[in-house]
Amino acid sequence: MDGNGRWAKKRLLPRVAGHVKGVELVREMVRACLERGIAYLTLFAFSSENWRRPQEEVSLLMQLFVKALEQEVEKLGRNGVRLRIVGDLSRFDPHLQELIRRAEEKTATNDRLVLTVAANYGGRWDIMQAVNRLAGAEPDRAGNWAEADIEPYLAMSYAPEPDLFIRTGGEERISNFLLWQLAYTELHFTPTLWPDFNKAEFDKAIASFQKRERRFGRTSEQLTETPNA
Ligand code: IPE
Ligand code: MG
């Protein structure tokens, strides 16, 4: 969700106004996923690198996060949304950590849409915490671990790998998002700033995804000849 600051700047507003508008867009995209029967939506809200921003902006982002948790969880619950927060939560204020814990608990039995918010998240952090936990659990097999061994320890082990990745705001990079899980994900980049993103743009991204051929390393011929191979 990139481009909040530039959106605000274009309107001569403080950056935080862009973040406020950005939260509105989150609401709209959650509705869009519910309408379209999409089962998993994962949003990169705050990266482990975002702490480097001016202290005032970081603290306003935290306040917005708290406010959203206080105000939205009830409604998410009513709409069958399960909320999960992934990332190194230990760096957050204890009050925020408690709100997160309660929000996850309150929505734990919902299964219409799993909404994951990545907060103080980094893809490298995720791989390292998984490796370290695996090392703690199975030290004797070190040196012989396979890909499938690490997967249960990744922060999003409860979700399938993403089909589609969308980055708004014009930059064309992953910026340390779900590094392990994006291996075969289709990437979609748009210059539209996050606060200007909307359902029509979302549908365009989905349509471009549907036109792509996902070969997972196979040849095009293999896919048409043996669809289930
Ligand atoms: C993304 O918008 C939102 C967060 C990182 C919280 P930015 O704040 O990165 O907006 P730009 O890139 O400065 O426009
Ligand atoms: Mg940015």
Side-chain angles (χ1 to χ4, degrees):
M1 302 186 284
D2 199 10
N4 294 351
R6 280 164 285 163
W7 182 92
K9 198 172 172 198
K10 273 200 331 207
R11 287 161 180 78
L12 306 177
L13 294 168
R15 289 179 59 85
V16 63
H19 297 314
V20 170
K21 180 73 183 166
V23 175
E24 263 176 53
L25 251 289
V26 170
R27 270 186 220 109
E28 188 173 333
M29 287 306 120
V30 170
R31 274 195 297 271
C33 288
L34 288 168
E35 288 161 11
R36 286 155 184 74
I38 291 168
Y40 293 89
L41 173 65
T42 304
L43 300 169
F44 202 3
F46 193 85
S47 78
S48 16
E49 289 75 32
N50 284 147
W51 297 105
R52 298 178 190 151
R53 293 193 174 194
Q55 209 246 303
E56 186 182 74
E57 181 169 346
V58 171
S59 111
L60 283 163
L61 282 167
M62 293 301 144
Q63 285 172 35
L64 274 179
F65 197 11
V66 168
K67 206 169 125 201
L69 285 170
E70 285 172 346
Q71 297 181 347
E72 307 290 334
V73 171
E74 207 76 33
K75 199 165 99 206
L76 288 173
R78 278 200 308 275
N79 284 299
V81 179
R82 177 168 193 176
L83 184 66
R84 312 211 54 166
I85 315 293
V86 294
D88 180 4
L89 305 185
S90 67
R91 192 152 167 201
F92 291 127
D93 181 276
H95 172 63
L96 180 51
Q97 291 187 41
E98 177 59 17
L99 280 176
I100 290 171
R101 201 192 57 73
R102 269 191 270 154
E104 289 187 326
E105 191 180 85
K106 260 194 209 154
T107 60
T109 56
N110 294 339
D111 59 4
R112 203 172 148 206
L113 168 67
V114 179
L115 170 62
T116 302
V117 176
N120 195 22
Y121 178 89
R124 290 179 180 174
W125 164 83
D126 192 6
I127 292 169
M128 286 317 299
Q129 65 81 26
V131 168
N132 284 323
R133 289 200 292 149
L134 175 60
E138 300 191 45
D140 302 341
R141 287 182 52 237
N144 292 303
W145 293 328
E147 290 178 14
D149 292 319
I150 189 180
E151 280 166 356
Y153 295 98
L154 291 168
M156 288 194 65
S157 59
Y158 54 84
E161 290 176 13
D163 289 315
L164 174 63
F165 162 104
I166 301 174
R167 180 173 186 154
T168 60
E171 301 314 339
E172 302 196 346
R173 53 174 176 263
I174 308 288
S175 294
N176 202 15
F177 196 31
L178 302 162
L179 297 180
W180 180 277
Q181 298 86 341
L182 290 175
Y184 282 100
T185 301
E186 298 293 336
L187 306 179
H188 180 87
F189 298 97
T190 167
T192 303
L193 304 174
W194 174 251
D196 288 326
F197 198 72
N198 55 33
K199 288 181 182 175
E201 289 247 6
F202 188 37
D203 285 332
K204 265 200 268 171
I206 294 170
S208 93
F209 164 80
Q210 286 168 332
K211 278 199 278 269
R212 302 190 202 187
E213 182 181 68
R214 307 188 78 199
R215 292 191 293 274
F216 299 97
R218 296 186 178 90
T219 69
S220 196
E221 290 69 27
Q222 281 178 303
L223 295 182
T224 45
E225 283 158 16
T226 50
N228 299 314

Short mmCIF file of all heavy atoms in Angstrom, two decimals, residues 16 55-65:
data_model
loop_
_atom_site.label_atom_id
_atom_site.label_comp_id
_atom_site.label_asym_id
_atom_site.label_seq_id
_atom_site.Cartn_x
_atom_site.Cartn_y
_atom_site.Cartn_z
N VAL A 16 0.11 12.59 7.17
CA VAL A 16 -0.83 11.77 7.93
C VAL A 16 -2.22 11.74 7.29
O VAL A 16 -2.94 10.74 7.37
CB VAL A 16 -0.89 12.20 9.42
CG1 VAL A 16 -1.41 13.61 9.55
CG2 VAL A 16 -1.73 11.23 10.23
N GLN A 55 9.91 10.52 13.80
CA GLN A 55 9.23 9.96 14.96
C GLN A 55 7.74 10.32 15.00
O GLN A 55 6.89 9.52 15.36
CB GLN A 55 9.93 10.43 16.22
CG GLN A 55 9.81 9.44 17.36
CD GLN A 55 9.00 10.01 18.48
OE1 GLN A 55 9.35 11.07 18.99
NE2 GLN A 55 7.92 9.33 18.84
N GLU A 56 7.45 11.56 14.56
CA GLU A 56 6.07 12.02 14.59
C GLU A 56 5.18 11.18 13.66
O GLU A 56 4.07 10.80 14.02
CB GLU A 56 6.01 13.49 14.16
CG GLU A 56 4.63 14.07 14.30
CD GLU A 56 4.56 15.52 13.83
OE1 GLU A 56 4.59 15.75 12.60
OE2 GLU A 56 4.49 16.40 14.68
N GLU A 57 5.72 10.87 12.47
CA GLU A 57 4.92 10.07 11.53
C GLU A 57 4.73 8.65 12.07
O GLU A 57 3.64 8.08 11.99
CB GLU A 57 5.59 10.03 10.14
CG GLU A 57 4.76 9.23 9.14
CD GLU A 57 5.23 9.37 7.70
OE1 GLU A 57 6.02 10.28 7.40
OE2 GLU A 57 4.79 8.55 6.87
N VAL A 58 5.81 8.08 12.64
CA VAL A 58 5.69 6.72 13.20
C VAL A 58 4.61 6.71 14.28
O VAL A 58 3.75 5.83 14.30
CB VAL A 58 7.05 6.25 13.78
CG1 VAL A 58 6.88 4.95 14.55
CG2 VAL A 58 8.07 6.06 12.66
N SER A 59 4.63 7.71 15.14
CA SER A 59 3.67 7.68 16.24
C SER A 59 2.25 7.90 15.73
O SER A 59 1.31 7.29 16.24
CB SER A 59 4.12 8.63 17.35
OG SER A 59 3.27 9.72 17.45
N LEU A 60 2.07 8.72 14.68
CA LEU A 60 0.73 8.87 14.10
C LEU A 60 0.26 7.57 13.45
O LEU A 60 -0.92 7.21 13.53
CB LEU A 60 0.73 10.01 13.08
CG LEU A 60 0.71 11.41 13.73
CD1 LEU A 60 1.11 12.48 12.73
CD2 LEU A 60 -0.68 11.70 14.30
N LEU A 61 1.19 6.85 12.81
CA LEU A 61 0.82 5.57 12.20
C LEU A 61 0.36 4.58 13.28
O LEU A 61 -0.61 3.85 13.10
CB LEU A 61 1.99 4.99 11.39
CG LEU A 61 2.22 5.63 10.02
CD1 LEU A 61 3.57 5.22 9.45
CD2 LEU A 61 1.09 5.23 9.04
N MET A 62 1.07 4.58 14.42
CA MET A 62 0.69 3.69 15.52
C MET A 62 -0.70 4.05 16.05
O MET A 62 -1.52 3.18 16.33
CB MET A 62 1.71 3.78 16.67
CG MET A 62 3.07 3.24 16.32
SD MET A 62 3.01 1.51 15.83
CE MET A 62 4.25 1.48 14.56
N GLN A 63 -0.94 5.37 16.17
CA GLN A 63 -2.26 5.80 16.65
C GLN A 63 -3.37 5.36 15.69
O GLN A 63 -4.45 4.94 16.12
CB GLN A 63 -2.31 7.31 16.81
CG GLN A 63 -1.57 7.82 18.02
CD GLN A 63 -1.47 9.35 18.02
OE1 GLN A 63 -2.38 10.05 17.57
NE2 GLN A 63 -0.35 9.87 18.49
N LEU A 64 -3.08 5.46 14.39
CA LEU A 64 -4.08 5.02 13.40
C LEU A 64 -4.33 3.52 13.51
O LEU A 64 -5.47 3.06 13.36
CB LEU A 64 -3.58 5.32 11.99
CG LEU A 64 -3.86 6.70 11.44
CD1 LEU A 64 -3.25 6.82 10.03
CD2 LEU A 64 -5.37 6.94 11.36
N PHE A 65 -3.28 2.78 13.77
CA PHE A 65 -3.37 1.33 13.90
C PHE A 65 -4.26 0.99 15.11
O PHE A 65 -5.21 0.18 15.02
CB PHE A 65 -1.96 0.76 14.07
CG PHE A 65 -1.84 -0.71 13.83
CD1 PHE A 65 -2.87 -1.46 13.26
CD2 PHE A 65 -0.66 -1.37 14.18
CE1 PHE A 65 -2.73 -2.82 13.06
CE2 PHE A 65 -0.52 -2.73 13.98
CZ PHE A 65 -1.57 -3.46 13.43
#
